[in-house]
Amino acid sequence: MATPFDATMKHLVESQPEAWLAYVGLPVFGAVVEVIDADLSTLTAEADKVLKVNSPEPSLTHLEFQGGYEREMGERVLRYSVLLTYQHRMPVHSVVILLRREADGPAMTGRVEHRYPNGAVYLTFSYTIIRVWEKSWEEVLAGGLATLPLAPLAQGAQERLPEVFAQMQQRFAQKAAPSEARELWVATSIRYSDE
């Protein structure tokens, strides 16, 4: 189900895909990264954003933004991974980015296992979980412009909001065109006010 910040997060990924790979801890190694069509509508499923890493060994990175708790999230991410692998014929690294503490819970393990009735495992699937509140605000501020709107939600930011916002303002002034800076501030207000 689409949430109020889905469009904002998708726009931020489109604006600087390399920054998002760095944010989730995946190396780019000079590869060209592009956003590709995430529509899997043949089975009525749409992943949030899918990035293609054009390197000697190309791969996909599926970013799924989650603002609320979903017990079946692992199963959904598994389904997207299988469909993307089938559609694009390349490996998929799946990453769930939890935008709010309320999105976390017992099912957010980063692993799905299917078992036969006798208990034997017949399928294991792993995915990465990023909890935005566990990243330090300094780390987020050192990242790409498109990930800066998450800085006020990062670890330790609440106690230093004036400093966080001042550093964001400085980065936007130095690196972004005025129209892009406005969009980033809007994205920041949407993400921050949602808390």
Side-chain angles (χ1 to χ4, degrees):
M1 177 173 66
T3 61
F5 48 80
D6 275 352
T8 301
M9 299 309 298
K10 290 176 181 181
H11 175 72
L12 289 173
V13 173
E14 289 171 357
S15 71
Q16 198 179 22
E18 296 87 357
W20 285 94
L21 288 179
Y23 181 83
V24 301
L26 295 175
V28 177
F29 300 121
V32 175
V33 180
E34 63 181 295
V35 178
I36 64 169
D37 185 6
D39 183 10
L40 304 170
S41 60
T42 57
L43 295 172
T44 64
E46 185 177 347
D48 278 351
K49 277 296 168 194
V50 179
L51 307 177
K52 181 179 180 185
V53 180
N54 293 306
S55 65
E57 296 180 20
S59 64
L60 301 177
T61 298
H62 162 218
L63 300 176
E64 192 67 28
F65 297 98
Q66 193 65 22
Y69 182 65
E70 185 180 329
R71 197 171 72 75
E72 296 294 321
M73 173 56 71
E75 294 290 338
R76 182 158 59 99
V77 174
L78 167 61
R79 184 171 64 248
Y80 292 160
S81 179
V82 169
L83 292 170
L84 287 165
T85 300
Y86 177 77
Q87 186 174 49
H88 297 279
R89 304 290 187 210
M90 61 183 68
V92 177
H93 189 109
S94 299
V95 182
V96 174
I97 300 174
L98 301 180
L99 298 168
R100 303 173 62 205
R101 290 178 189 271
E102 293 84 359
D104 205 359
M108 296 300 149
T109 63
R111 187 174 176 92
V112 174
E113 278 191 354
H114 289 188
R115 297 176 178 270
Y116 291 114
N118 69 3
V121 175
Y122 68 88
L123 177 102
T124 301
F125 170 72
S126 297
Y127 59 98
T128 302
I129 298 177
I130 303 293
R131 293 167 173 87
V132 297
W133 60 91
E134 290 181 352
K135 286 193 172 280
S136 73
W137 63 274
E138 297 95 341
E139 177 187 1
V140 177
L141 285 175
L145 288 178
T147 60
L148 290 185
L150 297 180
L153 306 175
Q155 185 179 49
Q158 288 296 306
E159 298 79 26
R160 304 179 82 159
L161 278 179
E163 182 180 351
V164 171
F165 286 133
Q167 287 191 35
M168 290 174 68
Q169 174 65 41
Q170 183 180 16
R171 286 281 311 279
F172 293 162
Q174 291 173 347
K175 302 283 185 182
S179 61
E180 182 184 17
R182 279 191 298 278
E183 287 179 5
L184 290 166
W185 279 120
V186 168
T188 302
S189 67
I190 290 170
R191 280 303 322 128
Y192 187 70
S193 66
D194 188 52
E195 293 302 300

